[in-house]
Amino acid sequence: MVPLSVAWDDIGGLVDAHERFLAGSLVESDVRDSVLDSWKRCRSVGLEPHRLLVRYTGDVALDERFRHAADPVLAHLTSSFADASMTIALCDGQGRMVERLGGDRQLRDRLDAVRFAPGFDASESVVGTNGVGTALAERGPVYIAGREHFADCLQPFACAGAPVRDPLSGRIEAVLDITCLRDQGDPAMVRMVREAARSIEARLLEQADLRERALLAAYRRADGHARDWPGQPDGLRPDLDGGALGRIDMAVLRAKAEELIASPHRTLDEVTLPSGRTATLLRRQVTGAAGESGVAVEARVLGGPRLRHLDLAPAPGETGIPAAPAGEGRLGSAVRRPDGSPLAHSTPAPQAPATAPATAPAATPATAPATTPDGEPAGAEGWLLLVGEPGVGRLAMLARRRLELLHDASVRIGTTLDVTRTAEELAEVTVPRFADFVAVDLPDSVLRGEEPEALGGRTALRRVAIRAVRRQPHNLYDVGDTVEYVPSTPQARSLETRQSVMEPVLTEADGWIAQDPERLTPVLEAGIHSLITVPLRARGTTLGVVSFYRSLQPDSYEDDDLSLAQELVGRAAICIDNARRYTREHNTALALQRSLLPRGRSEQSAVEVAYRYLPAQAGVGGDWFDVIPLSGARVALVVGDVVGHGLHAAATMGRLRTAVHNFCSLDLSPDDLLTHLDDLVGRLDRGEGWAAENSPDSGIVGATCLYAVYDPVSRRCTLTRAGHPLPAVVAPDGSVEFVDLPACPPLGLGGMPFETVELELAEGSRLVLYTDGLVEDRHRDIDAGLEDLRAVLAGADRSPEDTCEAVLDALLPARPGDDVALLVARTHSLGADRVAQWDLPSDPAVVSRSRAAVTAQLAEWGLEELTFTTELIASELVTNAIRHATGPVQLRLLRDRALICEVSDGSATSPRLRRAQSTDEGGRGLFLVAQLTERWGTRYTPDGKVIWTEQPLPGRCR
């Protein structure tokens, strides 16, 4: 254990963070992210900090090429530490120590005691967090000090490690580490070890340069006129009578040449260029004087530039080829183009091997013989196009394919704002070009658009997308299955540590098989051999995990494949998170809108109704409908449409719908109601227009509305509209007519009166109201939509429910581009047997006769229980009309869902309910009426007003 004096000096307040982490406490605020991720990886593989089993392997070595590059760097680094007690460790790509240099006797003894010595394994999965293993796991430089080590025995030390990559392939070839005692550690060690690693990489690159220069020298010696090449470009400048190749043609040629260099068994390829010309590519082996081997690709193009002939004779002992001049520098830089101009030098950075040029365009031209032994077209001019090493050519080909895959992924992933579809697109892009089987697992919360909770190994995930080259591998989970990964699996480790995990040999991944041995063992037998798991992370949140499997592809996953998988999943994660956020906003707006739309069906007998509401594919909008019972057994039918989509449109719709309800409670006529609604929309514009610049969801309010009132006693329907599509009336015989309503402007414009039309509807007629999304879209104009609607409505006498279904099936796609509201109402009439009406003269003597008439009518209807209250109500209302109003007086009883008593007169003066004082002789009648009835009110007519009351019917009479 580390001494207490040292422990209290640990960086980052790590005095007890390690113990609290092992106890299961949260330590995010006390531990660096990279260290905490390493601790989680260690815990997931079952490491115990007080007990390690360190593996030993004898004769661990690196190849001579690497040692030749690394030895001078290590010697210089060792000499720089001559006065410091620091040791330098060189490990292979698996974390096994190859060599240890420097350090005083005390430090070396302490390192030997913890088995940090040549031959022992320092990988993270074996000894926990340390400079070697964590640098491998993080694929980058790290600094670990004191208690940041996972293992107790390593806590007295500080170390810095950095991976060393092959600059062409990008593969991690080794790990360089600097270690000292904890109290002598310094974070600046990271910079030193990183610079040393880069120096080794640069020397590896120089070695490649030397080999490539030797190859080019061999090409020069193959030509007896080599003395004329460098410095004498004028003698090689082509005659351009035939026209030079364009850049696109040259790019195609180079791409095909790279594939030819990478293919050991192909020597000839024929290419049709974008310009229409045909090119023949020849692949030839060349060996230099010191044994350097390489490949040259010569291009011959029919109709290409005519080039000055050069007699080429092979040097003794070398393969003769039509050669190009060699220049100084990397293979991947050519000295001259066909026009004689120098090529730009192109040397890849060690950190970006995927884009490193792997072949050298040697562009100095050389002519081909008129006839060739390989059978290429006679007369085609030839020149050396590319030279390189077969292995490097393979890397260039793979790099190009990976770039093409990334480009396709950027185009094909995220075409919709649907979480599931985006996951499917990721799987479609990567199979079979990158993997033979792909699975995407997300928690249900992401599918619902919610913020996902912290994901761990035991989090239940839903398999939302799979893709396979052939039939789904036997026994793997299917779409829709719930998956709970055990902590040892690569997927659980990815979720826990938020890092990608690669298992190049799946048969050795015991943690993966532990998920379900009976299910997964046959999968291995079926041929799956390699796996990469990548967490789906976007904006600091883990959304799920993606698993890439290989079975048919013979190559196992490598380091470059891991980087490519991370890039692909990173792009997909942003798209999935965008889709998740859209889903959340869409569900929020939809919930708001549905809460503002009618719930259930209003109690009324005038019409039988059915309705449908379909939100738009792009987002909720402001369409709404309503069925509002009115006095006198009448009913109001409303359909409206607010311009735009989103929360603003939904909220505006709710305000307008509430306003319509309020105006209906005043029993306004249809044209007066739309006038008040128009004024309200105008005021919304004036009051909220300032927000248009600050919010894309706000701005000018616009709306259309259709308002209809149907009276089942007279069977008359009064309609008016404000910029809304025409309603349809389907007669009982099946004929369809669109009501010719005057074209009044939409709400909010103001200044124009609204006109009404009154119709008499036969009982059983269907009144169809709808919004424009039903009959109009970008592929169909409104006239065609109306004709389609007419065709669907005509014919058989359907119920309102069947009518709604038939209309939507015929006119709408699966997900409409605009909101759609549809309201179908089939009319009923209130028969004469349920209506009693009396015209009364303006004579107080008729009050007693009206009471007697009411009593007789109630007895006929079997409503004797309501006789006393109804007599009192009718007597009070008739008395008030005779005493305070003018014109004819009419008394009417309606037996509907309630007993309705109405008294009409010719006065526009409305009675007012007030509380009478104890000394008042009158003023109590209307108060009694209000107490005895369930509802009462006043509505105005063209000839006066109507005072109405409603009383609930006895239970047996309803």
Side-chain angles (χ1 to χ4, degrees):
M1 294 295 291
V2 63
L4 185 61
S5 60
V6 176
W8 278 95
D9 192 40
D10 277 347
I11 62 172
L14 292 176
V15 177
D16 60 346
H18 187 259
E19 286 76 7
R20 288 189 288 113
F21 172 80
L22 295 176
S25 301
L26 296 177
V27 294
E28 277 76 1
S29 60
D30 300 324
V31 185
R32 290 186 291 139
D33 289 343
S34 59
V35 173
L36 183 58
D37 290 341
S38 176
W39 288 2
K40 291 178 179 178
R41 289 193 296 266
C42 297
R43 183 174 60 185
S44 68
V45 298
L47 286 185
E48 300 180 27
H50 60 282
R51 184 171 55 191
L52 299 179
L53 180 61
V54 185
R55 296 190 292 257
Y56 177 80
T57 303
D59 299 328
V60 181
L62 296 169
D63 61 51
E64 289 300 322
R65 176 185 63 91
F66 188 91
R67 291 309 305 253
H68 181 70
D71 285 347
V73 177
L74 295 177
H76 174 74
L77 194 61
T78 303
S79 64
S80 65
F81 290 153
D83 297 329
S85 182
M86 290 190 176
T87 188
I88 303 163
L90 180 65
C91 303
D92 66 7
Q94 286 74 48
R96 299 171 300 183
M97 188 179 298
V98 177
E99 185 178 12
R100 194 182 71 188
L101 305 171
D104 57 21
R105 179 64 178 271
Q106 178 187 6
L107 177 60
R108 293 197 303 269
D109 290 345
R110 297 191 67 171
L111 291 175
D112 289 342
V114 297
R115 294 181 173 84
F116 192 72
F120 286 99
D121 194 338
S123 61
E124 191 180 69
S125 60
V126 174
V127 298
T129 309
N130 72 94
V132 176
T134 305
L136 272 176
E138 295 283 339
R139 298 172 57 83
V142 298
Y143 176 73
I144 306 297
R147 283 183 176 264
E148 290 184 328
H149 289 90
F150 186 79
D152 294 341
C153 62
L154 296 181
Q155 291 181 5
F157 304 100
C159 54
V164 184
R165 302 173 184 270
D166 185 305
L168 293 178
S169 69
R171 182 183 294 109
I172 296 177
E173 297 285 345
V175 181
L176 192 61
D177 174 89
I178 301 174
T179 299
C180 63
L181 293 176
R182 167 66 187 92
D183 54 0
Q184 298 177 6
D186 190 323
M189 294 162 57
V190 175
R191 177 180 54 81
M192 301 171 64
V193 73
R194 181 173 59 240
E195 291 178 353
R198 288 178 177 174
S199 297
I200 297 175
E201 292 170 350
R203 291 182 58 83
L204 288 171
L205 199 59
E206 290 173 1
Q207 291 182 15
D209 288 341
L210 294 174
R211 290 196 306 273
E212 292 155 1
R213 280 199 287 263
L215 287 175
L216 288 175
Y219 303 151
R220 288 201 304 270
R221 288 192 295 271
D223 182 10
H225 297 274
R227 63 184 181 278
D228 296 331
W229 291 352
Q232 298 184 17
D234 293 339
L236 300 173
R237 196 175 297 276
D239 179 3
L240 300 179
D241 293 341
L245 290 178
R247 288 195 303 174
I248 297 179
D249 285 347
M250 286 299 299
V252 172
L253 279 179
R254 287 194 178 96
K256 292 297 183 181
E258 289 174 359
E259 293 184 7
L260 197 57
I261 288 177
S263 304
H265 304 298
R266 294 174 57 197
T267 59
L268 182 68
D269 194 7
E270 188 173 277
V271 183
T272 300
L273 301 176
S275 63
R277 302 178 184 180
T278 300
T280 301
L281 301 182
L282 298 175
R283 179 186 191 273
R284 295 179 177 177
Q285 296 288 336
V286 177
T287 303
E292 301 87 356
S293 62
V295 178
V297 176
E298 184 186 67
R300 286 173 169 80
V301 182
L302 282 176
R306 297 181 60 81
L307 306 174
R308 188 182 305 277
H309 179 73
L310 295 175
D311 292 328
L312 303 177
E318 296 183 354
T319 303
I321 63 167
E328 299 302 324
R330 289 248 320 111
L331 184 66
S333 301
V335 179
R336 300 286 169 185
R337 298 182 184 274
D339 61 0
S341 62
L343 275 173
H345 186 73
S346 175
T347 301
Q351 284 73 26
T355 60
T359 55
T364 303
T367 60
T371 59
T372 67
D374 300 289
E376 61 270 19
E381 303 295 342
W383 71 93
L384 188 65
L385 177 64
L386 293 175
V387 293
E389 298 177 78
V392 181
R394 173 182 173 271
L395 295 175
M397 182 181 63
L398 293 176
R400 187 176 66 255
R401 290 178 178 175
R402 286 165 178 164
L403 289 175
E404 292 172 353
L405 178 57
L406 288 175
H407 174 267
D408 290 348
S410 66
V411 173
R412 295 175 55 187
I413 298 176
T415 59
T416 68
L417 286 173
D418 182 87
V419 173
T420 300
R421 180 56 193 149
T422 304
E424 292 171 349
E425 289 169 344
L426 170 62
E428 292 169 0
V429 167
T430 52
V431 174
R433 299 161 67 180
F434 180 71
D436 297 316
F437 178 78
V438 174
V440 183
D441 304 321
L442 306 175
D444 289 337
S445 58
V446 171
L447 297 175
R448 295 191 299 266
E450 301 170 0
E451 290 288 341
E453 299 178 356
L455 300 183
R458 286 295 184 179
T459 302
L461 302 178
R462 182 80 56 189
R463 179 144 295 178
V464 299
I466 58 174
R467 186 82 170 182
V469 174
R470 55 189 180 186
R471 188 177 62 85
Q472 177 184 346
H474 181 64
N475 282 354
L476 284 178
Y477 298 97
D478 204 349
V479 171
D481 290 349
T482 300
V483 185
E484 292 187 16
Y485 290 109
V486 299
S488 63
T489 58
Q491 290 86 351
R493 287 151 53 195
S494 290
L495 294 172
E496 178 73 14
T497 64
R498 300 170 293 179
Q499 300 290 329
S500 303
V501 175
M502 180 172 64
E503 295 288 357
V505 183
L506 205 53
T507 54
E508 299 177 1
D510 296 336
W512 179 78
I513 300 176
Q515 172 70 21
D516 191 338
E518 294 183 2
R519 176 192 289 264
L520 298 181
T521 300
V523 174
L524 295 177
E525 296 173 353
I528 285 185
H529 58 78
S530 189
L531 166 67
I532 289 179
T533 63
V534 185
L536 274 159
R537 287 185 55 79
R539 302 179 178 96
T541 302
T542 302
L543 304 173
V545 66
V546 184
S547 303
F548 300 96
Y549 294 89
R550 278 185 177 173
S551 58
L552 299 180
Q553 299 186 42
D555 296 334
S556 296
Y557 283 119
E558 300 177 349
D559 289 342
D560 280 357
D561 296 316
L562 183 61
S563 299
L564 179 59
Q566 291 170 340
E567 179 71 18
L568 291 169
V569 174
R571 297 187 182 194
I574 293 296
C575 297
I576 288 177
D577 192 50
N578 290 341
R580 177 191 66 81
R581 290 167 181 261
Y582 169 79
T583 301
R584 179 186 61 192
E585 297 299 329
H586 180 76
N587 291 342
T588 300
L590 188 59
L592 170 63
Q593 187 178 45
R594 291 195 181 280
S595 70
L596 298 173
L597 289 172
R599 297 182 181 180
R601 302 182 182 181
S602 303
E603 293 187 0
Q604 48 81 34
S605 303
V607 292
E608 176 189 353
V609 297
Y611 47 80
R612 296 290 187 275
Y613 170 75
L614 276 73
Q617 181 177 7
V620 298
D623 292 15
W624 91 92
F625 61 90
D626 231 326
V627 180
I628 306 173
L630 301 177
S631 63
R634 299 170 305 139
V635 65
L637 306 174
V638 192
V639 172
D641 184 0
V642 175
V643 174
H645 294 87
L647 290 174
H648 179 67
T652 302
M653 175 270 290
R655 300 172 75 171
L656 296 185
R657 179 172 177 256
T658 301
V660 171
H661 272 266
N662 291 336
F663 295 148
C664 285
S665 68
L666 300 177
D667 262 320
L668 299 178
S669 62
D671 53 338
D672 284 344
L673 185 143
L674 285 192
T675 299
H676 283 76
L677 202 60
D678 176 69
D679 180 64
L680 173 62
V681 173
R683 285 188 284 112
L684 289 177
D685 265 346
R686 293 188 296 272
E688 296 180 0
W690 64 270
E693 297 181 358
N694 302 324
S695 172
D697 226 7
S698 60
I700 296 177
V701 177
T704 65
C705 185
L706 174 64
Y707 184 78
V709 175
Y710 174 70
D711 187 344
V713 177
S714 63
R715 291 185 289 107
R716 301 195 69 80
C717 183
T718 305
L719 305 97
T720 185
R721 67 168 178 155
H724 204 80
L726 296 173
V729 174
V730 185
D733 61 1
S735 60
V736 180
E737 178 184 358
F738 289 100
V739 181
D740 188 15
L741 288 176
C744 300
L747 300 173
L749 298 182
M752 296 293 291
F754 295 97
E755 302 181 42
T756 61
V757 169
E758 190 171 80
L759 305 173
E760 183 172 337
L761 302 178
E763 184 173 7
S765 299
R766 282 171 288 161
L767 187 61
V768 181
L769 286 66
Y770 51 90
T771 55
D772 60 356
L774 180 69
V775 294
E776 184 179 21
D777 57 39
R778 57 186 176 182
H779 304 297
R780 176 182 58 186
D781 61 34
I782 192 169
D783 292 333
L786 291 176
E787 288 305 314
D788 293 342
L789 178 61
R790 182 193 298 273
V792 176
L793 294 176
D797 182 20
R798 301 187 185 95
S799 67
E801 284 289 341
D802 293 340
T803 302
C804 287
E805 290 295 329
V807 168
L808 295 184
D809 290 344
L811 271 68
L812 285 186
R815 296 188 68 182
D818 191 11
D819 281 24
V820 173
L822 173 65
L823 178 63
V824 178
R826 181 160 61 185
T827 62
H828 298 300
S829 63
L830 204 61
D833 60 329
R834 306 180 71 178
V835 179
Q837 181 175 306
W838 301 274
D839 293 324
L840 305 174
S842 296
D843 183 357
V846 303
V847 176
S848 60
R849 295 200 299 271
S850 66
R851 289 198 297 267
V854 167
T855 300
Q857 186 62 54
L858 293 179
E860 183 179 340
W861 285 342
L863 300 177
E864 292 86 351
E865 298 176 27
L866 302 178
T867 299
F868 174 77
T869 56
T870 308
E871 278 187 342
L872 181 58
I873 293 168
S875 174
E876 180 61 32
L877 295 181
V878 170
T879 299
N880 284 343
I882 294 174
R883 179 178 300 176
H884 302 290
T886 60
V889 177
Q890 186 182 76
L891 172 63
R892 186 169 73 163
L893 292 181
L894 305 176
R895 182 183 177 183
D896 190 37
R897 292 178 176 271
L899 179 62
I900 302 171
C901 178
E902 297 182 343
V903 175
S904 60
D905 57 54
S907 172
T909 304
S910 176
R912 181 169 61 88
L913 180 64
R914 65 185 181 88
R915 182 179 298 276
Q917 300 297 321
S918 59
T919 56
D920 292 343
E921 296 183 2
R924 297 178 177 85
L926 201 56
F927 176 79
L928 292 175
V929 169
Q931 297 300 311
L932 296 173
T933 60
E934 190 175 54
R935 298 172 60 220
W936 75 279
T938 304
R939 72 172 181 270
Y940 294 93
T941 65
D943 301 322
K945 68 176 183 296
V946 176
I947 310 297
W948 56 269
T949 65
E950 288 184 5
Q951 301 174 75
L953 297 177
R956 59 181 177 80
C957 300
R958 292 176 183 172

